[in-house]
Amino acid sequence: MDPDASLPTPEQDAAVTPVMGPSLRRQVLVCTSKSCTANGSEAVLEAFKAQLIEEQLLFYKHNREGEIQCIQCGSVGFCAIGPAVLVYPDGIWYAHVTPADVPEIVESHLKGGVPVERLVRKRLG
């Protein structure tokens, strides 16, 4: 990048990057690294996406008004206790998450703001 070139303003970036819009409230990161995948994290990721789409909460190309972004991530160091799921900006790290746990996490934490304590293994902040 040319150091003399000016960067776009935040407003210009927001115009071409919908994720910067005001509707996004939370991010759900599901680890899909080797150990978590071996324990079923891809099914957990798909369960989150399916439920969030059903409830019209997922932010994605077909719903730019969604409040929750759900994405895969690399290892977060919970390899022995995965699948790991992180919820930001809350700083909640879940472990041993299964697809059967997803409705409870969505209802209690993502919609109600109350983490599912039996699955919480770490809190940031």
Side-chain angles (χ1 to χ4, degrees):
M1 180 173 205
D2 180 359
D4 295 327
S6 63
L7 292 174
T9 66
E11 294 77 19
Q12 290 169 321
D13 282 342
V16 295
T17 310
V19 75
M20 291 176 63
S23 65
L24 196 61
R25 289 187 318 126
R26 286 193 172 95
Q27 288 183 305
V28 175
L29 291 81
V30 179
C31 176
T32 56
S33 282
K34 188 175 181 179
S35 294
C36 284
T37 296
N39 287 321
S41 66
E42 290 181 355
V44 171
L45 177 64
E46 292 309 312
F48 269 110
K49 287 181 178 180
Q51 181 157 355
L52 293 170
I53 287 171
E54 181 179 310
E55 299 195 30
Q56 298 181 350
L57 293 171
L58 186 68
F59 176 93
Y60 72 121
K61 67 181 177 181
H62 298 297
N63 183 16
R64 299 292 191 197
E65 300 303 313
E67 298 178 348
I68 300 169
Q69 185 182 40
C70 185
I71 55 178
Q72 65 185 18
C73 69
S75 177
V76 295
F78 274 27
C79 301
I81 59 173
V85 174
L86 290 65
V87 178
Y88 285 100
D90 305 348
I92 300 295
W93 291 26
Y94 291 112
H96 304 292
V97 179
T98 69
D101 296 319
V102 169
E104 183 179 7
I105 294 170
V106 169
E107 195 61 35
S108 181
H109 188 169
L110 302 181
K111 291 171 67 177
V114 179
V116 179
E117 293 299 331
R118 68 183 173 80
L119 298 170
V120 174
R121 293 300 180 270
K122 186 170 183 171
R123 296 173 188 272
L124 299 178

